Amino acid sequence: MQTNYKGNVFFDLDGTLLNNQSQVEDSVASAVRQLKENDYLPVICTGRAPIEIEAATSVTGIDTYVTLNGALVESQGKTIYSNDIKPDVIKNIIDMAHKNGDSLFMHAHTRNSLSAQTPFIKEFFHALKLEIPEIDPDFYKKDAIPMFVVITDDDGKKYQKEFPELQIYNTGYHSLDTVAKGVSKMSGIKHLLEELNMKDKTVYAFGDGANDIPMIEFADYGIAMANGINEVKDIATYITTENINGGIVKGLKHFNLI
């Protein structure tokens, strides 16, 4: 495994590396490949699960991932870190979700499932360009679950108050990304840098949403997409253009990475 990189560049996916059709544009894919040729390690850093990122990996050649908002870290087929949510906690939040008319989209390492059919399911999966998975409320009893998404129109405050042992990110699309307390994209990045012996290398990070804030704060150079939320822009080193307007390429060029 190569570790003699000049630095690391972490890319969020939705609203960042991906366009509005959840695809990587040709110019972006070419820029990422050039980035690696220039001896910088490109890393996907996303709330998505590993089985949901093929559209990005297939055209960029990226083989290192911080997925599930930092709860699962992998590089070149090797699992570096995983932080699974306790089954009894999942059972309790499923009970609360079902009482509220909500559903859990549960992510295991290689597959996923829904806890119930609810009104926002179709809209949620359409927005992410994903197939609707099978419904199995007992899925968490069979697989370790590093992250789940509460599919709801709630802002997440009542769930966060009821479950302080969890960290909840309101990421839009009627979704509350949920991981164990203390888990974030930043914590996932730290585990990766430790494993690859790259803690002394420069960190660049591109993001647009609430779950990107810890990553942008941690990076030596945090780059906010122009389509991102104000909270990300306020803490960024640099604000590039929109994800559909050359934002990735412009940001990489601004820091002379390509």
Side-chain angles (χ1 to χ4, degrees), residues 18 38 71 98 113 119 138 211 241:
L18 300 179
N38 292 350
H98 290 182
S113 183
D138 293 328
N211 59 341
T241 50

Side-chain angles (χ1 to χ4, degrees), residues 31 44 129 145-146 157 185 191 193 243 252:
I44 287 172
K129 306 297 188 293
I145 308 296
K157 291 180 181 178
K185 291 186 176 184
H191 286 291
L193 297 179
N243 63 317
L252 292 174

Side-chain angles (χ1 to χ4, degrees), residues 7 10 33 49 52 97 108 127 167 176 188 190 199 212 231 238 245:
F10 293 87
R33 291 193 297 269
E52 299 171 357
Q167 177 63 55
L176 305 175
K190 287 182 176 180
K199 291 194 296 181
D212 295 318
E231 289 83 352
Y238 176 71
N245 190 26

Side-chain angles (χ1 to χ4, degrees), residues 48-211:
R48 288 185 181 239
I51 61 174
E52 299 171 357
I53 65 175
E54 194 272 339
T57 59
S58 61
V59 296
T60 61
I62 295 176
D63 61 8
T64 301
Y65 332 115
V66 176
T67 56
L68 302 177
N69 286 308
L72 182 61
V73 182
E74 300 172 299
S75 184
Q76 297 183 13
K78 175 185 176 183
T79 297
I80 291 173
Y81 172 79
S82 179
N83 191 323
D84 303 322
I85 301 172
K86 294 179 180 179
D88 62 321
V89 174
I90 298 176
K91 178 187 182 302
N92 290 338
I93 201 166
I94 284 178
D95 290 344
M96 179 176 174
H98 290 182
K99 288 178 182 178
N100 291 329
D102 299 332
S103 179
L104 261 65
F105 179 30
M106 295 174 279
H107 293 289
H109 287 211
T110 59
R111 62 193 190 115
N112 51 45
S113 183
L114 280 168
S115 68
Q117 179 71 47
T118 57
F120 296 113
I121 296 298
K122 186 174 181 180
E123 182 180 352
F124 173 83
F125 285 97
H126 176 75
L128 293 177
K129 306 297 188 293
L130 297 174
E131 295 292 327
I132 298 176
E134 67 173 5
I135 295 175
D136 181 3
D138 293 328
F139 182 74
Y140 71 95
K141 298 178 182 178
K142 307 162 190 173
D143 286 68
I145 308 296
M147 189 188 97
F148 57 81
V149 181
V150 183
I151 302 177
T152 178
D153 62 350
D154 186 82
D155 62 8
K157 291 180 181 178
K158 64 185 178 186
Y159 284 102
Q160 187 66 84
K161 182 178 179 180
E162 187 69 21
F163 296 94
E165 68 271 49
L166 299 175
Q167 177 63 55
I168 297 174
Y169 301 101
N170 189 330
T171 55
Y173 304 127
H174 299 295
S175 62
L176 305 175
D177 287 11
T178 307
V179 290
K181 192 71 173 180
V183 171
S184 68
K185 291 186 176 184
M186 177 184 71
S187 69
I189 289 171
K190 287 182 176 180
H191 286 291
L192 178 65
L193 297 179
E194 177 75 30
E195 174 68 19
L196 299 184
N197 195 27
M198 295 178 67
K199 291 194 296 181
D200 61 335
K201 301 297 176 69
T202 305
V203 172
Y204 302 84
F206 287 77
D208 72 307
N211 59 341

